[in-house]
Amino acid sequence: MKRKIFSLSLLILFTFLFSCQSDSGKKESDPMTQFLGMFNGSASQVAFALEKFGASPEIIKNDMALYPFKNPKIIKKKGNCYLVELDIGIAVKIYEICWKDGKIVKINDIGLK
């Protein structure tokens, strides 16, 4: 009987310890993930994401803001640049997006897939 009570006490203790862990060990998502996470099929949302993460007026006013992108997919990462596929419904556009200090510093329109 004592063994069962001891085992049950340990089980409750471990359950409590693991359920009370803080989120301090969780890693923040990188800016590229946050940026692409804002793409919901609305051109205005893409424009908002560019404003939030753009390092310069040229980036903020990039023609990406004209498209209702959804379902973003990172194809490749090289250094601080990402090659991404962005769905516009009737086609998929490919862009190279480069970052520095959490801001977009360059966007190249590679073309259609």
Side-chain angles (χ1 to χ4, degrees):
M1 181 71 173
K2 287 183 181 181
R3 189 177 269 189
K4 287 183 180 180
I5 293 173
F6 179 74
S7 296
L8 183 59
S9 298
L10 281 177
L11 179 63
I12 292 170
L13 177 66
F14 285 123
T15 303
F16 178 77
L17 288 174
F18 287 113
S19 66
C20 293
Q21 287 182 344
S22 71
D23 291 339
S24 62
K26 291 186 179 177
K27 183 183 172 191
E28 280 291 312
S29 62
D30 63 89
M32 183 63 172
T33 304
Q34 293 174 22
F35 175 68
L36 293 178
M38 297 176 76
F39 289 27
N40 65 0
S42 162
S44 62
Q45 189 64 22
V46 173
F48 179 71
L50 286 167
E51 275 185 44
K52 181 175 180 179
F53 292 100
S56 68
E58 293 81 25
I59 297 297
I60 293 168
K61 293 178 181 171
N62 187 283
D63 73 341
M64 280 182 80
L66 302 175
Y67 296 101
F69 292 123
K70 60 183 176 182
N71 305 323
K73 179 180 174 187
I74 297 174
I75 302 170
K76 184 178 174 183
K77 180 180 189 269
K78 184 176 181 183
N80 65 337
C81 294
Y82 296 80
L83 199 60
V84 296
E85 290 182 350
L86 301 169
D87 184 356
I88 54 174
I90 58 171
V92 174
K93 289 188 62 95
I94 300 173
Y95 284 90
E96 178 188 44
I97 303 172
C98 299
W99 294 79
K100 183 176 181 184
D101 300 326
K103 294 289 186 181
I104 299 170
V105 292
K106 182 173 86 171
I107 297 176
N108 287 330
D109 183 346
I110 305 299
L112 296 174
K113 179 176 178 182

